[in-house]
């Protein structure tokens, strides 16, 4: 026997683990090219034509974009002046913010100190037997002492008297509930 192109070699015992998938893949590709080969060739030729027509324009557009964004066009002095102005504005805004924070913290400390003093005063009153500060005193403290209508404020604080003879602690509700009479009509 002559040894030609197709000589039989023995594969190792393991062999090709997936020969079916390879042959199926080659079969699918050859079927696709047999069915749609001319369309593939025409598509490739169309893409090459479009690339040759628009490649120069695309390169010009990319170069123009690079030139617009290139920082070498700007003068170093202008860039430095802008950065310094931005930094000064940031520092000024930060200082204003820090001042506002300090004022708020100071106000908060004053409020806490006033609350603490009031609590101490209330506790001292309680120890002396005078009781805690009432809500009416707090309302009167909120209004200025030199108000022209002090009697009007006192009138607002007083509640309207209850009905005469009504005492909720005695269990008398002041009115008796009577359900409506049910009348049976004799219709039918």
């Amino acid at each position: 026997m002559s040894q030609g192109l197709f000589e039989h070699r023995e594969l190792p015992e393991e062999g090709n683990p997936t020969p079916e998938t390879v042959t199926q893949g080659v079969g699918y590709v050859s079927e696709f090219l047999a069915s749609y080969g001319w369309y593939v060739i025409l598509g490739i030729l169309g893409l090459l034509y479009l690339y040759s027509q628009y490649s120069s324009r695309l390169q010009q557009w990319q170069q123009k974009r690079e030139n617009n964004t290139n920082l070498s066009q700007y003068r170093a002095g202008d860039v430095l002046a802008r950065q310094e102005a931005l930094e000064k504005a940031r520092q000024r805004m930060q200082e204003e913010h820090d001042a506002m924070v300090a004022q708020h913290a100071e106000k908060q400390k004053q409020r806490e100190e006033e609350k603490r003093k009031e609590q101490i005063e209330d506790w001292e009153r309680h120890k002396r037997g005078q009781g805690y500060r009432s809500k009416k005193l707090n309302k009167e403290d909120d209004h200025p002492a030199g108000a022209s209508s002090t009697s009007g404020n006192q009138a607002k604080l007083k509640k309207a008297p209850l009905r005469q003879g009504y005492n909720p602690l005695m269990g008398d509700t002041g009115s008796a509930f009577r359900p409506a009479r049910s009348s049976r009509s004799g219709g039918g």
Side-chain angles (χ1 to χ4, degrees):
M1 284 188 151
S2 68
Q3 296 205 0
L5 294 173
F6 300 108
E7 79 179 58
H8 184 340
R9 289 190 212 165
E10 289 192 32
L11 293 174
E13 289 182 21
E14 301 129 11
N16 190 354
T18 58
E20 295 87 21
T21 58
V22 173
T23 56
Q24 285 178 353
V26 170
Y28 288 142
V29 170
S30 63
E31 285 179 28
F32 178 79
L33 289 177
S35 300
Y36 302 106
W38 287 110
Y39 296 114
V40 171
I41 291 174
L42 288 176
I44 291 172
L45 290 175
L47 289 175
L48 288 174
Y49 175 75
L50 290 174
Y51 179 75
S52 66
Q53 290 293 319
Y54 294 108
S55 64
S56 61
R57 291 182 186 173
L58 181 64
Q59 288 174 355
Q60 289 174 355
W61 178 74
Q62 286 177 340
Q63 190 169 0
K64 190 176 182 182
R65 256 182 81 199
E66 288 176 10
N67 289 340
N68 286 339
T69 59
N70 194 0
L71 293 178
S72 65
Q73 289 181 350
Y74 299 110
R75 292 190 302 246
D78 293 343
V79 172
L80 187 60
R82 278 193 203 123
Q83 287 179 346
E84 288 175 356
L86 282 173
E87 187 63 31
K88 286 179 184 179
R90 286 186 188 127
Q91 286 178 353
R92 185 181 69 244
M93 290 171 66
Q94 185 66 42
E95 289 171 359
E96 290 173 3
H97 179 69
D98 291 343
M100 288 174 27
V101 167
Q103 288 176 354
H104 179 69
E106 185 64 31
K107 287 180 183 179
Q108 195 71 20
K109 284 181 184 179
Q110 288 176 356
R111 287 182 196 140
E112 290 174 3
E113 185 66 25
E114 288 174 6
K115 281 186 178 181
R116 189 182 65 79
K117 286 180 182 179
E118 287 178 10
Q119 288 175 350
I120 291 172
E121 289 174 6
D122 287 345
W123 181 248
E124 288 175 358
R125 273 194 218 98
H126 179 65
K127 285 184 358 184
R128 287 187 299 227
Q130 295 177 346
Y132 286 111
R133 178 183 249 182
S134 70
K135 293 180 183 177
K136 288 183 182 180
L137 290 176
N138 284 336
K139 289 182 181 178
E140 289 174 3
D141 289 344
D142 291 342
H143 298 294
S148 60
S149 62
T150 55
S151 61
N153 288 338
Q154 290 174 356
K156 288 180 184 176
L157 292 176
K158 291 183 180 179
K159 291 185 177 180
L162 299 174
R163 283 188 316 235
Q164 197 167 15
Y166 171 68
N167 188 354
L169 298 177
M170 296 299 289
D172 182 22
T173 59
S175 66
F177 173 73
R178 293 185 187 171
R181 279 184 146 183
S182 62
S183 63
R184 295 185 185 196
S185 62

